[in-house]
Amino acid sequence: MTQTNNNMTVNPDLAMERAKCNFNVLEVTHIFDGGERNTLQRKKIEDVALNSGASKDALGEEHMSPKEKYENAVRKSCIYATMMKNELAELSGLESFGVSSPVIRRTADAFFKEVSPFLLHLGMFVPTIMGQCTPEQQSYWLPRALDMQIIGTYAQTELGHGTFIRGLETTATYDPETEEFVLHSPTLSSYKWWAGGLGKTVNYCIVVAQLYTKGECHGTHPFIVQIRDEDTHVPLPGIKVGEIGPKMGFNTADNGFLGFDHYRIPREHMLMKNAQVLKDGTYVKVARHGKLTYGTMVFVRVVLVNEVAFNLAKASTIAVRYSAIRRQSKPKPDEVEPQILDYVTQQHKLFIAIATAHALQLCSTWLWESFSAVLAQMKGGNTDTLPEFHALSSCLKAISTSDSAHLIEQCRHACGGHGYMISSGIPNLYNFVSATRTYEGDYTVLLLQTARFLVKAYEQAEAKKPLTPTVSYLAHAFSGSRATWDNSPDGIIRSFQALAAGKTAVCVTNMRKRMRAGLSQVDAWEMSTIQLVAAAEAHCRAVIADTYRKEIVRLTANSSPNVKVVMDQLTTLYLYYWALERTGDLLMFTSVSQKDLVDLQIAYEELLLKIRPNAVGLVDAFDLRDELLHSTLGSYDGRVYERLMEEALKSPMNKEPVSDAYSKYLRPMMKGKL
Ligand SMILES: CCCCCCCCCCCCC/C=C/C(=O)SCCNC(=O)CCNC(=O)[C@H](O)C(C)(C)COP(=O)(O)OP(=O)(O)OC[C@H]1O[C@@H](n2cnc3c(N)ncnc32)[C@H](O)[C@@H]1OP(=O)(O)O
Ligand SMILES: Cc1cc2nc3c(=O)[nH]c(=O)nc-3n(C[C@H](O)[C@H](O)[C@H](O)COP(=O)(O)OP(=O)(O)OC[C@H]3O[C@@H](n4cnc5c(N)ncnc54)[C@H](O)[C@@H]3O)c2cc1C
């Protein structure tokens, strides 16, 4: 594994762990990266972007005031954007997620402990231009946006509504006299709220507003709106814009608010790929599917699965390396204190994090490929696969973000007190990832979208109609008997599918019962939503487990024997872990016995011991440079205590031997003179 400094002194415990590792680390790196070619290109990009030291700060971000932090983040965003235009442009021809590859996105993490104020520009503004504009509109806006001549964001959420898009209150009323739209915020709750970069950075944004023309409302549509002068950056007349204040994370993203006072924009600034307003105000619907204006959200949901996998890989790298150098307690009085990684409970906390990072990474690639296929079909006018894809991307976004946030927090627990230090890197990772569970569609709300699809699919299965691939297992939901338990990987995956089918069946039965008892369909649905969320979660687990297993079998077909073994151990661990987390459900919906579950628990514990010698090798295989980890606990060399002390000494509190607070408050209070 290449590191920036080849002459470093490595902590002896970490060196011992690396010597113990019995598989080829680089081969696993290639699996995680999606192939050797991707690894080589990633490394080239990282070398160009990071070796100059431009990502480093003289003073840690955490010691800066909010204003200094923001300005520093803008400074570095500009450096990175310039690199992207110049040095990195040629290198970024990876198998990429559209306009900016995930590798470019990831490398940027070395520059920011929180996030770049440009995140929404690349993450949503540019993708909306690509996905919602006509070709003419695109040829005008896209080059300017890609060249960063204009910087934009995505302003959809309002103070009063985020989830319920149809409830947005901002209006865009067409005036045929001037051929303009008049944007207006009629209430306080209609103010746009949350858009990243809106507070101070951007001069344009995508605004989602209720479209009115000829006195009729046509629902929400996207518009491109200039909000600041292109030269002076002063907000334009009719615009009220500002920053929303401190948050749990995202503090360098200047999330903002925005209100309009009868603010006029040209007709051409409505993004017209899916619907148009003609000069005379006639509304023309172009798209075949009513929800295509939600396309950018679907894109970001897909991207987020990859994003959280990467952040989970970081957290597990930090926690596993730290657990290898940390020694604590003395269970055997005559022996030295063990590495905390030797405690089975510690392995239980951490190895699932490594396995989940792999599972989500592979699912994200598979999801991206499915998305590309859906987009290709839609180009030809066919939207048949969109409902299934919406259900799939919704649940994968919900479960991947929720599991990752939970496991990153578990990694923090695994690092004891030191994990609570900002310098460990874990709090920032947690703050970032916990937000992903909420934004781009809240966890519960998205799982309920998947549940809608599952219920419909169940009814189709009942009527013996054909099923789409991800729910084909529902065809076996009507056998009348419980699924046969079998603890092979394929057997466990079948059991997860049986749980999803069983839970969906329970929901449908309960809803029907409730409706027979007099509840409306809406109320019967509402009363069943706890179970519907559980059914969607079970469905998603079955999809992840199945995809993870199939992808690993495929990707390791030509791997060396030990890589095959260790990758198989991780997938099996994932399956055992979730089977043991869901024992109650297994007892309800499969033939599993108490003895089977006791045996499974023992097999799980034995698997932890088998993975243990390779744990550091497995996180080394994520190949995360120290610059990306920002961690005193997780650096490659394991100099944890030295780094903790170095960071502590940087605290501005240590600049003076006696704090001013002594003479101002402590002394007077202690001398009774306050
Ligand atoms: C490559 C690297 C680039 C860098 C990027 C890195 C990372 C990027 C990070 C970016 C940072 C982002 C920061 C955050 C940004 C935001 O949060 S932006 C705001 C996001 N907001 C939301 O996600 C709102 C969530 N709400 C909704 O999506 C919808 O309102 C809803 C909950 C889905 C309900 O919509 P509604 O119109 O009310 O529909 P329903 O009545 O419930 O359903 C009607 C039918 O429509 C189907 N449907 C709904 N959505 C879609 C869709 N998107 N696609 C296809 N179909 C959809 C739904 O299933 C219903 O179908 P039927 O059951 O058949 O009736
Ligand atoms: C860090 C961050 C960055 C963001 N960036 C942007 C941005 O750049 N642009 C932008 O437009 N927006 C942005 N958002 C807003 C984000 O998209 C919304 O916060 C998110 O979609 C959730 O909507 P909400 O806040 O209205 O939550 P609410 O819908 O009010 O959710 C509150 C609770 O109600 C529950 N709930 C709501 N509806 C239902 C239902 N139908 N059934 C059951 N339960 C329900 C939810 O599950 C949740 O528990 C950002 C948010 C965050 C936190």
Side-chain angles (χ1 to χ4, degrees), residues 600-655:
L600 189 69
Q601 178 69 34
I602 288 171
Y604 172 73
E605 288 155 5
E606 283 167 0
L607 193 51
L608 291 175
L609 289 194
K610 285 184 193 150
I611 294 172
R612 162 66 187 93
N614 283 323
V616 168
L618 279 168
V619 296
D620 281 353
F622 290 137
D623 198 15
L624 296 159
R625 289 173 56 139
D626 286 354
E627 293 95 327
L628 291 171
L629 292 174
H630 299 287
S631 175
T632 45
L633 308 189
S635 297
Y636 186 79
D637 64 10
R639 287 177 58 248
V640 169
Y641 300 128
E642 294 90 329
R643 283 180 204 276
L644 279 167
M645 183 55 87
E646 280 160 22
E647 284 303 313
L649 294 177
K650 283 185 198 162
S651 167
M653 298 275 282
N654 290 324
K655 283 258 158 67

Side-chain angles (χ1 to χ4, degrees), residues 496-532:
F496 287 164
Q497 292 170 342
L499 297 195
K503 281 171 179 261
T504 307
V506 168
C507 292
V508 172
T509 309
N510 288 346
M511 280 192 287
R512 285 176 184 166
K513 253 193 221 158
R514 286 175 163 140
M515 283 164 72
R516 279 199 299 274
L519 284 193
S520 68
Q521 200 268 338
V522 173
D523 288 337
W525 170 273
E526 180 55 38
M527 282 305 292
S528 312
T529 45
I530 298 173
Q531 283 305 309
L532 284 161

Side-chain angles (χ1 to χ4, degrees), residues 12 26 71 110 124 169 235 273 308 336 343 353 390 438 444 460 492-493 539 552 555 648 655:
L26 194 57
E71 285 176 9
M124 293 195 83
E169 296 174 85
K273 180 174 173 188
V308 294
V336 292
Y343 294 116
H390 168 56
T438 298
T444 308
Q460 274 175 314
I492 296 178
I493 291 167
H539 164 71
I552 279 293
L555 292 167
K655 283 258 158 67

Side-chain angles (χ1 to χ4, degrees), residues 44-64:
K44 270 192 212 158
I45 288 173
E46 287 175 353
D47 284 346
V48 171
L50 307 184
N51 287 357
S52 71
S55 64
K56 294 207 169 80
D57 287 320
L59 178 68
E61 245 178 48
E62 51 278 12
H63 300 306
M64 296 177 186

